[in-house]
Amino acid sequence: MTRPPPPDEPDQAARLAAEIAELLDVLWEHSREVTTAPLSASQLRAMFALERAEGANLRTLVAMLGSTPPSVSRLYDRLEAVGLVERGASAASRREVELRLSARGREYLRDLRGRRVAVLREVVDQLSPAARSALVDGLTEFHAAARGRVPHGTPADGTP
């Protein structure tokens, strides 16, 4: 890994952030592979979207995922087939169907997050207390800046 850039060099900082994102992607991929029901990246993204919009209809989830209704419907069909999501009648309209995470789906996400935190904890444990503090400060600011770039209503924007 390259040496950390001075704070006044945004291109180097962006390249370093991209490199770290790639490393995280590798770590995340490994944490998904050790499950009994590994999901694709799009299936996992759909699970996170549904978690944020529990009881949403297909139209809402299509907007959140930025995809087409047939693609999103097939995606949730596959998740329902393996027991991670459930469909139910909407309280607002008899013609609409609401999607929810099943108990198994919630457990899957809890377990996945736990494995991800454990992997990152191994890395963070190698840092000095000062480096950990700086990391928290930097990531807190990065998170705030990045959240402002994510469209409202998407899984990563932090809205319920």
Side-chain angles (χ1 to χ4, degrees):
M1 175 131 87
T2 58
R3 186 160 225 215
D8 61 339
E9 298 185 30
D11 285 345
Q12 285 182 325
R15 279 193 291 278
L16 181 58
E19 186 176 334
I20 290 167
E22 290 170 3
L23 287 170
L24 286 172
D25 193 41
V26 170
L27 293 172
W28 286 176
E29 191 62 33
H30 177 70
S31 68
R32 282 200 327 243
E33 289 173 358
V34 297
T35 67
T36 56
L39 299 179
S40 70
S42 59
Q43 288 172 322
L44 190 56
R45 187 169 170 245
M47 294 274 294
F48 288 137
L50 189 54
E51 181 182 48
R52 294 221 186 268
E54 191 76 19
N57 62 23
L58 186 64
R59 183 174 51 253
T60 300
L61 295 166
V62 164
M64 288 178 74
L65 296 171
S67 190
T68 63
S71 295
V72 173
S73 182
R74 284 191 302 274
L75 186 62
Y76 282 104
D77 286 346
R78 289 190 296 272
L79 292 170
E80 183 180 29
V82 294
L84 297 174
V85 302
E86 300 168 339
R87 295 175 195 258
S90 169
S93 168
R94 293 181 307 166
R95 294 186 304 175
E96 285 188 11
V97 173
E98 293 180 343
L99 293 165
R100 299 185 182 287
L101 290 176
S102 66
R104 182 173 178 221
R106 277 188 270 292
E107 179 60 31
Y108 180 91
L109 292 181
R110 228 181 347 267
D111 182 56
L112 177 66
R113 285 186 177 115
R115 285 192 312 279
R116 286 178 168 184
V117 168
V119 167
L120 291 177
R121 176 66 191 261
E122 291 175 14
V123 175
V124 171
D125 279 347
Q126 297 175 37
L127 302 177
S128 69
R132 277 195 300 270
S133 179
L135 178 65
V136 168
D137 291 345
L139 288 175
T140 300
E141 284 191 40
F142 184 87
H143 182 258
R147 272 180 78 172
R149 304 277 306 163
V150 176
H152 179 71
T154 59
D157 79 346
T159 60

